[in-house]
Amino acid sequence: MTDFILTTFDWVPDIPRGYVRDLRVRWALEESGLPYRVESVTFGERGEDHFAHQPFGQVPWLTDGDTSIFESGAILLYLGERSTALMPHDLAARNKVIGWLFAALNSVEMATVPWSLFMFSQDSEDTPGRRMLENFLASRLRHMEKVLSENEWLAESFSIADIVMSDALRLVDRFDGLAQHKACREYIARATARPAFKKAHKDQLAFFAAEDARRNT
Amino acid sequence: MTDFILTTFDWVPDIPRGYVRDLRVRWALEESGLPYRVESVTFGERGEDHFAHQPFGQVPWLTDGDTSIFESGAILLYLGERSTALMPHDLAARNKVIGWLFAALNSVEMATVPWSLFMFSQDSEDTPGRRMLENFLASRLRHMEKVLSENEWLAESFSIADIVMSDALRLVDRFDGLAQHKACREYIARATARPAFKKAHKDQLAFFAAEDARRNT
């Protein structure tokens, strides 16, 4: 078996560090024990080669021999098919994991990421659109709070769905958006206490720090 | 083979008609020729039963015998596994479809839906957060414009990825957000000219209209 190759940026500014999407893939790979190595593409100029792997000029992508997979959701599903530590074989459990994987990406993160853009930009204007966005997020969090107060993980056991959901919620928590959502905060704490998360997070920070060091010498 | 059952709301207000997410599932089912029927759940009060199938109290969900699938992305993937009209069996082509399916849901729709909230609310304030959201959408559209000027469909042939991507872009077009994106508009025209889209769209409008009629008698 050849190693999976995870490609991320060689460097990113401080703000996104610890949140770059390769984190989700590193985390899944660490949970699975599947062999991998990390390669990089320049954050600055993005060439045709980059776009051939990732049509938005983003990261990560994963290569498995001749196969190249883009979109972290698709990569996690691909890895989930290859490790029961990430997604069970049992059909009913598998369907539940996949439903929650899409829910994390399309029902929850569709609210959390745009909301975070307003927080990053320190926008404090209360406008009609902003209120709709806040209500959209509040509705999603209200439902997640109920689900997470009743369940340790989204499916029967920890899965790729929890990697995405906890990481999406982590971004809200970064801006103190979960003050009223104890079950969400406790879920993030359970997820990020896992050794695989800790290693993935530490490795991402170290990867970008190594490039800082290289540039400064 | 028993029919698939697609569950949607019994009724919705005028504004979302033609855009409710059951459209994507109807469309996929029509493309595939798989047998199905449509059932409904009340739009008004949403009970425990509803949340048991869809944890956000949304629609649609799909039942296949004892199996219940939520999130339209997960439903399309489930149907794609069951029809080569929706997703090819060939592994490389399949991976490409799945990558684009996630891209439509998590890279493109994450920008289009929040942007549409500002359009729906007729919010015209130019704030720092709003500018970040506009730039986020502009960046996604710029990349999609290039991809769609070079490709008829996202993968080798029409697939579930095109159902989601064209429907996501259709929402931008509704608010004239594609005036500078000819390839995106032409892609929507190609997709919505398909008989399966036309039937799905007509059926959704007729379904809600039937409930209007029932209430008015």
Side-chain angles (χ1 to χ4, degrees), chain A residues 21 48 51 55-56 58 67 69-71 73-74 77-78 95 98-103 105-110 113-114 117-118 120-121 123 125 127-130 132-133 136 140 143-144 146-147, chain B residues 21 48 51 55-56 58 67 69-71 73-74 77-78 95 98-103 105-110 113-114 117-118 120-121 123 125 127-130 132-133 136 140 143-144 146-147:
Chain A
R21 293 288 190 93
E48 281 305 310
F51 285 96
F56 301 97
Q58 296 295 322
T67 301
I69 313 274
F70 76 107
E71 282 287 324
L77 184 62
Y78 187 87
N95 285 332
I98 294 176
W100 275 113
L101 173 67
F102 281 99
L105 292 164
N106 195 241
S107 286
V108 174
E109 197 158 42
M110 187 192 282
V113 166
L117 295 181
F118 282 79
F120 274 121
S121 66
D123 187 332
E125 297 290 329
T127 74
R130 175 70 174 271
M132 278 186 88
L133 187 60
F136 180 35
R140 294 310 196 229
H143 293 302
M144 286 315 303
K146 182 168 191 306
V147 168
Chain B
R21 292 289 188 91
E48 280 306 309
F51 285 96
F56 301 96
Q58 296 294 321
T67 302
I69 313 275
F70 76 107
E71 282 286 324
L77 184 62
Y78 187 87
N95 285 333
I98 294 176
W100 275 113
L101 173 67
F102 280 99
L105 292 165
N106 196 241
S107 286
V108 174
E109 198 157 42
M110 186 191 282
V113 166
L117 296 181
F118 282 80
F120 274 121
S121 66
D123 187 333
E125 296 290 327
T127 73
R130 175 71 174 270
M132 278 186 88
L133 187 59
F136 181 35
R140 294 309 196 230
H143 293 302
M144 286 314 303
K146 182 167 190 305
V147 169

Side-chain angles (χ1 to χ4, degrees), chain B residues 35-60:
Chain B
Y36 73 101
R37 62 177 195 273
V38 179
E39 295 191 350
S40 67
V41 67
T42 55
F43 176 76
E45 206 151 318
R46 300 175 196 180
E48 280 306 309
D49 250 34
H50 185 155
F51 285 96
H53 285 283
Q54 217 296 345
F56 301 96
Q58 296 294 321
V59 296

Side-chain angles (χ1 to χ4, degrees), chain A residues 11-61:
Chain A
W11 177 92
V12 298
D14 282 347
I15 288 178
R17 291 189 191 193
Y19 293 86
V20 177
R21 293 288 190 93
D22 71 63
L23 180 78
R24 298 176 182 186
V25 181
R26 289 177 185 271
W27 186 356
L29 285 161
E30 290 294 335
E31 294 279 354
S32 71
L34 292 164
Y36 72 102
R37 62 178 195 272
V38 179
E39 296 191 349
S40 67
V41 66
T42 54
F43 176 76
E45 205 151 320
R46 299 174 197 180
E48 281 305 310
D49 250 35
H50 185 155
F51 285 96
H53 286 283
Q54 218 295 347
F56 301 97
Q58 296 295 322
V59 297
W61 67 85

Side-chain angles (χ1 to χ4, degrees), chain A residues 125-193:
Chain A
E125 297 290 329
D126 178 26
T127 74
R130 175 70 174 271
R131 271 198 295 281
M132 278 186 88
L133 187 60
E134 299 269 2
N135 290 341
F136 180 35
L137 179 63
S139 160
R140 294 310 196 229
L141 292 180
R142 190 173 65 248
H143 293 302
M144 286 315 303
E145 183 70 8
K146 182 168 191 306
V147 168
L148 294 173
S149 66
E150 294 165 356
N151 298 279
E152 184 180 13
W153 305 115
L154 296 172
E156 278 62 23
S157 57
F158 181 85
S159 73
I160 47 174
D162 296 298
I163 290 179
V164 181
M165 187 68 83
S166 62
D167 194 44
L169 293 175
R170 211 164 60 89
L171 185 63
V172 183
D173 197 40
R174 182 176 183 172
F175 296 106
D176 286 333
L178 296 177
Q180 310 303 320
H181 298 83
K182 184 163 174 277
C184 291
R185 293 198 316 275
E186 288 174 352
Y187 171 69
I188 295 171
R190 278 196 297 284
T192 58

Side-chain angles (χ1 to χ4, degrees), chain B residues 27 31 153 158 166 186-199:
Chain B
W27 186 357
E31 293 280 354
W153 304 116
F158 181 86
S166 62
E186 289 175 351
Y187 171 69
I188 295 172
R190 277 196 298 284
T192 58
R194 296 177 72 87
F197 171 84
K198 287 186 183 172
K199 179 158 192 325

